[in-house]
Amino acid sequence: MQIQGICAYFYGERHPDMGIELDRCRINSMVDSPTFKQDDRNKPGQCRDGRSNCEDCRTTEISDIFSAHLTICQKPWECIYGWDAKSEKLCSRLHSEWFRIRRSFEESREEDDGLRLLPDLG
């Protein structure tokens, strides 16, 4: 079950006067190209967000990102690589951060429950 589109529907259709546009490079960052390619349905080179000048989210500092959408970077636990050169640095950093947060969570669960979730490597 997914909830994609619920916020867009709620604010776009049900309460259009209450929504605000969030920074796509910092909230739900997809690490995608800012412009359409030749094979897209829109004009090649046109900004995806409809603006005349668009920020390249692939160059956003990881410390400036609040949340990420891992469609382009893929799920970290599946070890799928092959990103384009501009996405590689940020995708790699997002994967590292995901594993850091996951490890921190597992360690916190061990402390709370006394359970051993991580393998004993030592």
Side-chain angles (χ1 to χ4, degrees):
M1 183 170 137
Q2 294 185 355
I3 61 167
Q4 282 181 278
I6 288 179
C7 287
Y9 169 75
F10 183 82
Y11 289 107
E13 302 293 326
R14 303 293 297 200
H15 302 282
D17 55 326
M18 295 178 61
I20 60 168
E21 183 177 351
L22 301 175
D23 186 325
R24 65 184 288 278
C25 292
R26 286 152 187 80
I27 309 292
N28 203 34
S29 177
M30 288 191 44
V31 193
D32 58 342
S33 171
T35 58
F36 291 107
K37 298 180 291 192
Q38 184 68 36
D39 58 346
D40 290 326
R41 292 182 185 153
N42 296 299
K43 292 181 182 176
Q46 180 181 13
C47 292
R48 290 182 185 276
D49 60 11
R51 293 186 167 96
S52 56
N53 293 319
C54 40
E55 181 180 357
D56 190 343
C57 297
R58 299 171 295 183
T59 62
T60 306
E61 290 294 324
I62 194 162
S63 59
D64 293 334
I65 296 174
F66 294 96
S67 63
H69 190 273
L70 297 172
T71 294
I72 291 174
C73 295
Q74 297 295 305
K75 298 172 183 108
W77 58 91
E78 291 186 355
C79 301
I80 297 172
Y81 303 102
W83 308 299
D84 65 73
K86 289 187 178 182
S87 300
E88 184 174 7
K89 181 179 176 183
L90 186 53
C91 283
S92 180
R93 288 185 173 174
L94 287 170
H95 278 200
S96 294
E97 186 64 8
W98 186 90
F99 281 112
R100 185 194 66 75
I101 292 168
R102 174 63 192 221
R103 184 169 212 54
S104 175
F105 169 73
E106 290 179 2
E107 289 171 349
S108 74
R109 299 302 303 151
E110 285 178 8
E111 293 168 8
D112 291 346
D113 299 336
L115 297 174
R116 184 87 186 132
L117 299 176
L118 299 171
D120 187 4
L121 301 174

